[in-house]
Structure formats: C-alpha cells, structure tokens
Amino acid sequence: VSQSRYKDKIEIMCVDKAMGELIKNDIIPNYVVIADAGISYEKYLKPYEDKTANISLISNINSNIEWTYNWKGKIFFYVNKDNIKSEDIFCPLSGCKEVIPAASNVGNACVVFASQMMGYDEILLLGYDYCWGPEDKYYAFTEEDKRYWMNHMTLVDNLGRLVCTSQNLHFSARWLSDFYVGVCTQHGIKVFDCSGKGIAQSPRKNLEKTLEKISKRSLSEQEKQLIFNA
C-alpha cells in the first residue's frame, strides 16, 4: 500500500518498535507511541532519529528518556490510569495531568489515543494478531526465542489456524475486544482489523479496498469540545 497515494485521506500511528520498519519502506508515520522504559534507543530510534522532525511522539512519562532527549519532532506526554492508582503518584511528580486508561500494551494504547483523545471515528488495525502460527515470528520483524518460552496456550485464530499465544498477549487481545465492544461501539467508533488473522474480536476488512473508499473529514465544534473536556 503506497502512503503517497493515501496521504491526504489517512493518518498513521504506530508503536515504537514498528517505526523503523515503516521508515525503511518509505512510510513516515504521523504519530509514534512509546510506553515502556525498556525500549532500546540504540536499536529502535537512533538509526532513524533524523527522520523524526515531522513525526509526533506520544510518550508515557515513564518511557525511555533517550527517546524524548533525541526526538526531533513534537512530543506529547501521558500517564497511565490503572487499578493500583499509579497516576496518583506520577501526575504530581511529573506535572502531567493527561491520563489514559492503562491498555495493557502499547498497541492497545494507540487505539485508546485515536478513539478517546484524538477524535477518530474509524480505525484500521494492522499487526494486532496477538498470536503466532508455525510460520510466524513472535515479533513481526525479528526472530527471538520468545516464541518458545512464551508459548503458554494453543488456540484457533480468526482464520481457523492453529496458533500459539502467551498469557499476556491473550489478556491484551481480550482487553482490546472488550474496549471495542464496551467503548468504541457505544460511541459510534468503527474499528476494523485489516490483518485478517489473529485472536482479537473486531470486524475485519481488506485494507486496500477500505482505503480506496475512505474519506477525510474535520471535527465538528461539539466533537472538539468533547475531546478537550475529556
């Protein structure tokens, strides 16, 4: 899918570890989300940091500070709101009052931001498999032995394939499915899985055909106020 063909119709948000792969394929995301302190600067940002001037970084205040020190574009910070009320500690410490529901992983946080904080009413997901088959890698772009020691259960995915997953990936898939049903559908926000496979439960669409038909619109004043007051 060519970004130049659809650049006036869509905006691209990706997780920290996916940014470099997009850039290597001449796809410059609009937003990159980072949540964890353990995401390597040397591996995932340093080779591409000169490409970040026109990319906005959305960063957890507890993420790897090397990312925010070396990022060239705009930076927006947030705090996770969770069951142990860590926001009661980190908001006063940081001065950051922008909180989002803790979404169990950075990919789910992208969906939260797009739907709750940025006003998008249609979200297309890629790479939200939360499992791996015999021919797959644990991570999309690199092979690691995590596919062996993180193999906690065997399931049948949305394509009828026999796949493996871990306890944390299974939880994240259920969290996203619940968020889609309990939040997104209640507010008329459409979420489509364009990967075609995986274990998360949301409607599926073909990416290319969807992009051909998609159109861009501006937020109404009422929608802007809802977002600003969130």
Side-chain angles (χ1 to χ4, degrees), residues 175-228:
W175 191 99
L176 182 61
S177 300
D178 289 345
F179 184 79
Y180 164 70
V181 173
V183 178
C184 294
T185 59
Q186 302 304 311
H187 293 85
I189 301 168
K190 300 175 182 178
V191 181
F192 298 105
D193 185 348
C194 295
S195 297
K197 56 184 178 180
I199 59 174
Q201 300 300 309
S202 60
R204 287 175 281 167
K205 273 192 173 184
N206 177 277
L207 180 63
E208 190 85 37
K209 291 180 180 178
T210 303
L211 292 178
E212 289 286 353
K213 299 177 181 179
I214 208 165
S215 59
K216 195 173 183 179
R217 71 174 181 85
S218 299
L219 292 173
S220 67
E221 289 303 317
Q222 183 180 11
E223 288 171 323
K224 291 178 183 178
Q225 288 304 313
L226 286 173
I227 294 170
F228 292 151

Side-chain angles (χ1 to χ4, degrees), residues 18-170:
M19 181 188 71
E21 296 297 327
L22 292 179
I23 290 174
K24 285 193 290 187
N25 286 277
D26 297 321
I27 298 173
I28 306 299
N30 300 93
Y31 308 98
V32 173
V33 180
I34 182 171
D36 301 321
I39 304 299
S40 171
Y41 157 73
E42 289 77 12
K43 183 175 181 179
Y44 295 110
L45 174 58
K46 188 175 182 180
Y48 315 103
E49 64 181 49
D50 61 334
K51 303 288 187 180
T52 63
N54 295 316
I55 306 173
S56 294
L57 179 67
I58 301 173
S59 174
N60 188 327
I61 60 165
N62 296 315
S63 68
N64 186 344
I65 59 174
E66 293 295 330
W67 280 65
T68 51
Y69 284 163
N70 292 283
W71 196 265
K72 309 299 183 188
K74 295 179 180 178
I75 303 173
F76 302 90
F77 292 96
Y78 69 94
V79 177
N80 279 325
K81 182 178 182 179
D82 53 35
N83 290 334
I84 61 174
K85 297 186 180 299
S86 58
E87 68 275 11
D88 290 347
I89 298 173
F90 295 122
C91 285
L93 280 175
S94 66
C96 179
K97 299 179 181 179
E98 283 68 38
V99 298
I100 67 165
S104 85
N105 69 17
V106 65
N108 288 356
C110 290
V111 180
V112 172
F113 266 104
S115 61
Q116 304 298 293
M117 307 294 287
M118 303 173 76
Y120 291 97
D121 53 17
E122 186 164 344
I123 301 168
L124 308 178
L125 305 179
L126 287 170
Y128 283 73
D129 302 348
Y130 293 120
C131 63
W132 63 93
E135 73 280 11
D136 299 328
K137 302 173 182 178
Y138 183 89
Y139 290 118
F141 310 112
T142 59
E143 186 57 272
E144 296 188 16
D145 61 2
K146 287 183 73 172
R147 62 178 287 123
Y148 304 108
W149 57 268
M150 290 291 283
N151 182 355
H152 300 156
M153 62 183 82
T154 302
L155 303 170
V156 176
D157 78 351
N158 296 326
L159 291 181
R161 303 184 309 153
L162 203 61
V163 296
C164 302
T165 191
S166 63
Q167 293 285 358
N168 61 321
L169 288 178
H170 187 249

